[in-house]
Amino acid sequence: MEKSLNELEGSATGESSLGLIPAEVTSRPTWGSKVQYILAQVGFSVGLGNVWRFPYLCHQNGGGSFLLLYFLLLLIIGIPLFFLELAAGQSIRQGSIGVWKHISPRLAGIGFASCVVCSFVALYYNVIIGWSLFYMFNSFYYPLPWENCPTLPNQTVEVPECAKSSPTTYFWYRSALNITNSIEGSEMNWPMTGFLILAWFLVCGGMIKGIKSSGKVMYFSSLFPYVVLFCFLIRGFLLDGAADGIRIMFTPKLEIWKDVQVWRQAATQVFFALGLGFGSVIAYSSYNDRYNNCHFDAILVSFINFMTSILATLVVFAVLGFRANRIAEICVKENVWKVSNLSLNTSGPGLLFPSENITVADYSKWYEEVNHQFPLENLGISHCRVEDEMKKGVEGTGLAFIVFTEAMTLLPASPFWSVLFFLMLLNLGLSTMFGNMQGIITPLLDNFPKLLKRKTLFTVLCCVCGLLIGLIFVQRSGSYFVSMFDDYSATLPLIIVVIFENIAVAWVYGADRFMEDIQGMLGYRPWILYKYMWKYVSLLAMMGLLLASLIRMCITQPTYQSWNQEKAEEINLQYPKWALGLLISLIVVASLPIPVVFLKETLQSWLKRRRTKMYGQCEYRQGNIVDEITGPVDETIINSGHVGNGYLPVEMEDMAERGQLLNTAEDEAEEDTNNVHG
Ligand SMILES: O=C(O)[C@@H]1CCCCN1
Ligand code: NA
């Protein structure tokens, strides 16, 4: 069914809805095609995390073993919950708030929490896109501006901060971020502010017409990163040292299986990578047609995501292996020279001394042999191992903007590769931002249908707000806030949200009932295994994860990496009091909607019930009761004369609350808007 969106938008989709589904279903826009939809899901889930979080985690936590662990957790929690979100969105056809409200009004807080988490991530994610834009524009210079250290004004001496660190490090901290020594200080970084504005402009442009425009943009923004990754992969494999890099990377270290923290990190990465708990997955799938095979989608997207992480890891480590090899070569040259000097003056290891053109591997062999007789380290001769250089883990921003940039300067035609790389980051980031924004906008539009009339304005407004709040990230100390948001807002609250989602479906709504709903959509019953996953396995796994995260939070002092300008190196600092407060409020604000809405709704329905009992008044509009309730109930109510001043049996009241019996006032408003548009 290849209808264009123009035809579909604002008109009935032609699919009759099963069961009791809110009225706006019939006028919901749908994806232009299945391909667009899959690209959008892939575009959202595959993001910067795959390129700079996954390879780092993999490297830090046991290489090949981490990969296996990640895969296991993907099977236990990733796929079942991804499937759950897809199915819930598709069957209820609402954004995250609507979905959970549909199950029970008391659970609507889950949706609000999703929105909050999503906004937190969107806020800092777009800053990274701004950084990528900055680097992309700077890549058009030859030689690249981060290739050499600048000199002091009117002198030939290199700037000390740069000479002590490296040109790329200096460029990152001083030219790009102009970073302060600590998180305190509130000067603005104006050039970066400009790039942040540009980034929001791009996001807004891609979103402005809803999924109609972003669906088309997806073809480019979701596929382009793969083209670049493959170019880099081929180029990377042709480099000296690439094989070493990949070998070192994937060598499994089995002892990590015992470490709870590694499990925690792997699981958190599963959540972050698939975007579980963001509400974006739900928002995207809510624009699907009802009979779409969401089980296939869940497996396909998770699989593509996993493969992309591996692909990115291969690329990163091939290039880092090449860089480490270069550094080792230089190291060998220096040390060979030292050795030859030694053998002249002392009776040291002169007999064996290596020639000028020795390879890194041969030098390493020679070193190990000789080191038995003469402890070379004591003589100031170093081993120059590729492994040691690779062991220096590089995380997050440091990976993309410092180490990878440096590696690219070593390639011939460096500006070309550099532009390609940052263009890739830009596209990875943008497609994810579209999903993030959709995860905020869709649920709000669904929940407050009055906004629908001003959809475009609302979208623009969201972007403007994002930009304004985002200004804290483009202060000179802004990147410290980015890592704070990354460390705290996208971890614990996500786990909490997803646990509640799982409970809502498996225990409140009922796993069996949900399985039946899915059967209605797919046409066949999904594996029974999913039921047990949702009810027990995934849920328990996530509870364990929550516990591990809480324990870790309590025993470790939160610190952050800061750049010290005078020492020209990174140091670990403690957060000041206010920053600790901010950090805690990030977690609290993101999780608070769940209990607040729960209490509010419980209290309200309790009051309502009391009122009903006291006055014998029915709060609901009579007409709708007669419309919606089938046969016998309908008659009983009419015959008993309870319509109007009677009361509803408690179960019915509950159903009514869930919107299963009655159109609410909001539905009516919704119908009005549809009429306006139709
Ligand atoms: O891995 C990523 O970069 C994204 C972040 C947002 C949610 C989906 N995954
Ligand atoms: Na993306």
Side-chain angles (χ1 to χ4, degrees):
M1 199 181 69
E2 285 273 329
K3 266 191 208 166
S4 83
L5 264 160
N6 301 345
E7 288 169 61
L8 286 171
E9 187 142 41
S11 70
T13 56
E15 304 289 353
S16 72
S17 42
L18 295 179
L20 301 151
I21 285 164
E24 64 268 28
V25 166
T26 42
S27 67
R28 206 172 178 76
T30 52
W31 292 101
S33 66
K34 176 94 181 194
V35 178
Q36 261 184 33
Y37 167 67
I38 294 290
L39 285 180
Q41 287 285 15
V42 168
F44 165 66
S45 78
V46 173
L48 302 168
N50 298 60
V51 177
W52 75 30
R53 250 212 227 191
F54 189 84
Y56 163 76
L57 285 174
C58 208
H59 178 53
Q60 245 8 43
N61 297 321
S65 323
F66 182 82
L67 223 59
L68 266 176
L69 181 61
Y70 181 85
F71 187 65
L72 182 78
L73 288 170
L74 191 67
L75 293 182
I76 296 180
I77 42 183
I79 295 183
L81 284 156
F82 195 60
F83 179 35
L84 183 144
E85 288 202 359
L86 285 179
Q90 185 174 314
S91 79
I92 300 169
R93 310 197 82 180
Q94 293 263 317
S96 52
I97 302 176
V99 162
W100 308 116
K101 201 182 212 169
H102 180 81
I103 288 176
S104 160
R106 290 182 193 136
L107 296 175
I110 303 177
F112 286 103
S114 279
C115 280
V116 176
V117 178
C118 214
S119 342
F120 283 165
V121 174
L123 284 175
Y124 77 82
Y125 219 79
N126 223 15
V127 177
I128 304 178
I129 297 181
W131 294 343
S132 307
L133 282 167
F134 175 85
Y135 267 83
M136 197 178 85
F137 286 115
N138 276 288
S139 300
F140 285 100
Y141 293 96
Y142 189 81
L144 289 165
W146 47 84
E147 216 167 315
N148 300 305
C149 281
T151 50
L152 289 169
N154 310 325
Q155 290 176 39
T156 49
V157 192
E158 286 181 350
V159 177
E161 189 187 358
C162 182
K164 270 191 247 169
S165 55
S166 75
T168 43
T169 314
Y170 178 83
F171 187 84
W172 167 240
Y173 286 120
R174 199 52 50 218
S175 309
L177 299 179
N178 192 12
I179 202 164
T180 47
N181 278 356
S182 82
I183 195 166
E184 290 175 84
S186 54
E187 270 169 79
M188 290 301 285
N189 177 351
W190 292 113
M192 240 358 139
T193 312
F195 285 101
L196 183 66
I197 294 174
L198 181 59
W200 275 109
F201 192 76
L202 290 176
V203 170
C204 194
M207 300 272 321
I208 203 147
K209 292 248 170 69
I211 61 165
K212 188 164 35 172
S213 56
S214 53
K216 301 251 167 58
V217 179
M218 288 313 171
Y219 279 110
F220 183 71
S221 64
S222 301
L223 290 178
F224 181 77
Y226 288 96
V227 176
V228 178
L229 277 176
F230 276 110
C231 288
F232 267 99
L233 190 70
I234 295 169
R235 186 69 189 91
F237 278 165
L238 297 175
L239 297 168
D240 282 340
D244 288 328
I246 292 170
R247 184 178 44 78
I248 293 167
M249 160 80 230
F250 282 102
T251 311
K253 299 188 200 82
L254 290 174
E255 61 284 5
I256 58 118
W257 285 78
K258 293 194 298 259
D259 187 352
V260 183
Q261 290 316 319
V262 178
W263 282 72
R264 183 186 58 80
Q265 290 190 323
T268 317
Q269 177 60 16
V270 169
F271 282 83
F272 189 76
L274 288 178
L276 297 175
F278 283 70
S280 309
V281 173
I282 298 182
Y284 273 171
S285 73
S286 74
Y287 295 111
N288 262 334
D289 103 18
R290 222 189 127 71
Y291 301 108
N292 169 51
N293 188 343
C294 53
H295 179 235
F296 173 77
D297 300 349
I299 293 183
L300 181 69
V301 175
S302 319
F303 184 73
I304 295 182
N305 192 311
F306 183 54
M307 282 324 215
T308 314
S309 293
I310 294 182
L311 179 65
T313 308
L314 283 175
V315 170
V316 166
F317 279 86
V319 175
L320 292 192
F322 159 69
R323 171 178 170 273
N325 200 49
R326 269 294 179 84
I327 294 174
E329 269 171 17
I330 295 171
C331 170
V332 167
K333 278 229 173 71
E334 281 170 3
N335 281 286
V336 167
W337 186 78
K338 277 191 211 160
V339 171
S340 53
N341 278 356
L342 274 181
S343 60
L344 291 177
N345 308 332
T346 68
S347 58
L351 286 176
L352 279 159
F353 84 79
S355 77
E356 278 272 329
N357 305 327
I358 192 168
T359 63
V360 176
D362 286 343
Y363 174 84
S364 188
K365 260 188 227 137
W366 169 83
Y367 189 96
E368 266 154 35
E369 252 170 47
V370 177
N371 206 24
H372 288 306
Q373 299 154 334
F374 312 92
L376 288 168
E377 262 154 84
N378 301 348
L379 299 172
I381 314 274
S382 48
H383 197 158
C384 305
R385 285 189 343 153
V386 178
E387 274 91 344
D388 295 338
E389 190 53 47
M390 293 281 296
K391 262 199 206 113
K392 296 176 190 158
V394 271
E395 185 183 12
T397 48
L399 175 65
F401 295 109
I402 302 177
V403 181
F404 213 86
T405 12
E406 183 191 321
M408 284 183 300
T409 57
L410 303 174
L411 293 172
S414 50
F416 167 76
W417 291 104
S418 202
V419 171
L420 216 56
F421 178 71
F422 291 110
L423 204 59
M424 173 184 85
L425 284 190
L426 180 67
N427 279 289
L428 277 177
L430 277 181
S431 51
T432 298
M433 270 308 285
F434 293 149
N436 268 335
M437 295 305 288
Q438 208 57 258
I440 304 166
I441 293 172
T442 302
L444 291 178
L445 284 181
D446 288 341
N447 200 49
F448 306 105
K450 288 208 184 71
L451 295 173
L452 264 178
K453 280 183 208 151
R454 310 205 177 281
K455 206 165 161 182
T456 314
L457 185 70
F458 181 65
T459 308
V460 176
L461 215 68
C462 282
C463 293
V464 171
C465 285
L467 171 63
L468 291 181
I469 305 176
L471 290 178
I472 49 174
F473 300 105
V474 286
Q475 302 173 86
R476 288 184 54 198
S477 56
S479 73
Y480 300 135
F481 288 91
V482 171
S483 31
M484 180 201 277
F485 270 61
D486 194 34
D487 288 343
Y488 296 96
S489 74
T491 49
L492 201 62
L494 273 188
I495 304 172
I496 297 176
V497 169
V498 180
I499 287 182
F500 277 100
E501 287 184 356
N502 192 333
I503 294 177
V505 169
W507 293 97
V508 180
Y509 187 78
D512 285 306
R513 220 168 125 200
F514 193 60
M515 291 289 275
E516 265 155 41
D517 289 354
I518 295 176
Q519 186 172 7
M521 296 193 296
L522 300 187
Y524 60 89
R525 212 175 169 75
W527 296 328
I528 193 78
L529 185 64
Y530 282 113
K531 189 176 113 182
Y532 296 106
M533 286 301 213
W534 291 326
K535 281 185 92 157
Y536 309 105
V537 183
S538 311
L539 191 57
L540 285 178
M542 289 191 297
M543 299 250 186
L545 170 63
L546 180 65
L547 199 72
S549 307
L550 284 176
I551 292 176
R552 198 193 110 89
M553 278 211 54
C554 296
I555 55 175
T556 53
Q557 263 277 334
T559 56
Y560 67 102
Q561 288 275 320
S562 79
W563 177 253
N564 189 294
Q565 183 166 9
E566 291 72 37
K567 289 190 195 147
E569 61 181 27
E570 283 173 343
I571 50 175
N572 237 343
L573 286 187
Q574 301 227 320
Y575 281 114
K577 285 245 164 50
W578 61 265
L580 279 178
L582 177 64
L583 180 159
I584 292 169
S585 51
L586 281 182
I587 299 175
V588 173
V589 169
S591 354
L592 211 58
I594 301 178
V596 167
V597 173
F598 185 87
L599 289 179
K600 177 179 152 265
E601 291 290 332
T602 311
L603 201 71
Q604 261 176 8
S605 78
W606 181 75
L607 286 177
K608 201 183 273 173
R609 207 162 294 180
R610 264 179 65 110
R611 227 179 13 234
T612 317
K613 286 218 179 89
M614 280 168 67
Y615 302 109
Q617 284 289 343
C618 176
E619 282 279 308
Y620 304 105
R621 284 166 294 140
Q622 315 151 8
N624 284 323
I625 298 174
V626 181
D627 283 349
E628 297 280 342
I629 302 172
T630 46
V633 186
D634 182 348
E635 274 163 31
T636 336
I637 292 183
I638 296 169
N639 296 341
S640 66
H642 275 157
V643 174
N645 60 358
Y647 67 91
L648 294 168
V650 175
E651 319 84 82
M652 280 178 55
E653 202 179 330
D654 273 349
M655 284 167 86
E657 272 181 17
R658 279 184 221 143
Q660 289 173 340
L661 290 182
L662 307 168
N663 285 333
T664 59
E666 276 166 13
D667 289 343
E668 273 197 348
E670 173 63 18
E671 273 161 22
D672 292 346
T673 44
N674 291 340
N675 292 340
V676 170
H677 286 292

